[in-house]
Each structure stands twice: as C-alpha cells, then as structure tokens.
Amino acid sequence: MIRRFLTNFFQGRNGFDNIARAAWWVLLVFLLLSLIPGWFGFVCEFVVLALTVYIWWRVCSKNIYKRSRENAKYLELTAAFRTKFRDFKTRFSMRKDYKFFTCPTCHSILRVPRGKGKVQITCTKCGNRFSGKT
Ligand SMILES: [Zn+2]
C-alpha cells in the first residue's frame, strides 16, 4: 500500500539526484552548526529550513527535463573536484605501500613503491627525471 503510493508519487518526478544529495550533506552540516547558541545558530536553522524546502521541491519536481539539465551542469562544474577527491581516496588507501610524487614539469601524479630510499623518478608522461625519497 505505502510502497504503491510511493511508486505512484515518484512516477514522473525528478527524485533524489546528485544536487539533492549534495544539498542534503550541506543541510546536515548546517544542522550541526544550528546547535551553536546565539544568532549564528539561528541563521543556520533558517538555512536548514530553506534547504529542506529546496530538496523537497527538487525531488518532487515534475519538470524532469529542466532538473536533469541542472544536474548535468552541476556534475560538469564539480567534475574536477570529484576526480580530485576520488584520486585522494585512492592514494589514501594505498599510502602504506606507495608514495606519490607530482611531476614538476607536467604535474601528473606518479606512484612509487615505498621503502626504496632516495630514487630517480622518470615521469611516464613527459619523460622528465627528478629525485625523491620514498
Ligand atoms: Zn611529467
């Protein structure tokens, strides 16, 4: 019954997209900040309220075409940042076995096994050579 209602309700609606998810995280941050006593917390409460309305409006919007274009634009604008974040996560998970160097010439990231002492690193992209401590 509830399931059917929800399915019908979200039929033809935008749903929880990437922007809604990002807004949700921002909302959680402001929710924590709103615990601060005084005018600052008060302002944060309003931000939480505004974001709640915005997320609902987005999720329930029937103008899917427009919303998905906004979502695509959002993904495009944040692509560089999201790639950086993903790279950071991968590097963090491999930090015990590898050390990462940035090529001074082309700025590409190079992975070198740890514990080899001082080594000569040759960039795989541009062929530049530099030394580093692993
Ligand atoms: Zn290079």
Side-chain angles (χ1 to χ4, degrees), residues 58-113:
R58 234 197 128 68
V59 170
C60 300
S61 175
K62 285 189 168 173
N63 196 344
I64 296 173
Y65 176 71
K66 211 171 168 191
R67 295 293 89 76
S68 66
R69 276 191 57 174
E70 285 164 5
N71 198 54
K73 188 89 196 157
Y74 161 78
L75 289 176
E76 193 188 305
L77 287 170
T78 55
F81 173 76
R82 282 181 297 112
T83 314
K84 265 205 179 115
F85 185 69
R86 206 189 47 217
D87 286 354
F88 177 77
K89 261 171 52 184
T90 341
R91 282 161 71 172
F92 190 76
S93 67
M94 295 194 290
R95 73 192 181 284
K96 274 187 182 146
D97 305 313
Y98 297 97
K99 183 147 185 189
F100 294 87
F101 292 94
T102 309
C103 171
T105 316
C106 70
H107 302 291
S108 56
I109 290 159
L110 306 161
R111 195 181 69 175
V112 181

